[in-house]
Amino acid sequence: MTAPNIVWTRIDERLLHGQIRITWGKHTEANLILVANDDAAEGPNAAFMQAGMKASAGGEYAVRFFSIQKTIDVIHKASPKQNIFVLCNNPTDVARLVEGGVPITHCNVGNMHFHEGKRQIAKTVSVDSKDLNAFERMVERGVTCTVQNTPDQKPINVLDLAVENA
């Protein structure tokens, strides 16, 4: 069994949308977008969510919707031909994937919207203590976590931003 070919992992609260397809998908040369999200895979509105996200993919990518646990359970069965773009909507889910043995080495953070109890650390990223804990858990396991909205922007370390904007 070979390691899955994970070409990119991104946190975007919006999950799969046009920017992912147009900008990040092409930049990463992915051919499969794996939306690892319990609600999108199995939630009460999963069919509706999936339909919208599949439309956003524009037919350019294979798209899969797996729960976090299913991703952990099956990612190592991926074909070597699959260039996998893992997409989550929060850092806790990515930390769960890493802790479950999914070989993620870098986590790109795009959009984490401001909500009550969160503080803004970058233009499009707001965090709370649960988010920071998840990033710390990933970093402890060797995962680089950076904020970068588009490929032409310079990546900035998430935890450095959190300290600078405390």
Side-chain angles (χ1 to χ4, degrees):
M1 183 163 32
T2 61
N5 186 20
I6 297 173
V7 296
W8 201 248
T9 302
R10 181 174 171 91
I11 296 170
D12 195 314
E13 198 166 294
R14 302 167 294 176
L15 292 173
L16 179 51
H17 56 91
Q19 182 186 31
I20 300 296
R21 175 178 60 91
I22 295 167
T23 305
W24 287 106
K26 288 178 178 32
H27 175 75
T28 62
E29 298 182 358
N31 59 22
L32 170 69
I33 298 175
L34 170 55
V35 178
N37 179 271
D38 292 346
D39 287 334
E42 306 170 340
N45 297 316
F48 176 75
M49 292 175 71
Q50 289 178 18
M53 286 188 261
K54 285 179 183 176
S56 292
E60 295 177 49
Y61 304 94
V63 181
R64 302 288 182 273
F65 299 92
F66 293 165
S67 67
I68 299 304
Q69 189 59 53
K70 182 172 181 178
T71 302
I72 292 166
D73 293 344
V74 305
I75 193 77
H76 293 284
K77 297 176 185 176
S79 165
K81 295 176 185 174
Q82 292 174 314
N83 296 331
I84 305 167
F85 186 124
V86 177
L87 185 58
C88 293
N89 70 350
N90 67 76
T92 300
D93 284 352
V94 179
R96 287 175 57 204
L97 292 173
V98 171
E99 291 163 351
V102 178
I104 293 170
T105 58
H106 179 259
C107 178
N108 164 257
V109 183
N111 290 285
M112 293 175 57
H113 301 133
F114 181 81
H115 299 286
E116 186 70 34
K118 292 195 177 214
R119 64 184 171 90
Q120 188 173 12
I121 62 169
K123 184 177 178 182
T124 61
V125 179
S126 296
V127 296
D128 60 18
S129 59
K130 182 179 177 184
D131 298 326
L132 291 174
N133 175 268
F135 285 121
E136 289 166 356
R137 290 170 21 222
M138 284 187 268
V139 169
E140 286 171 5
R141 287 167 176 76
V143 179
T144 303
C145 300
T146 59
V147 173
Q148 184 182 17
N149 258 356
T150 57
D152 60 329
Q153 293 178 340
K154 180 183 176 200
I156 303 170
N157 183 287
V158 171
L159 295 178
D160 290 349
L161 281 172
V163 169
E164 289 172 20
N165 295 287

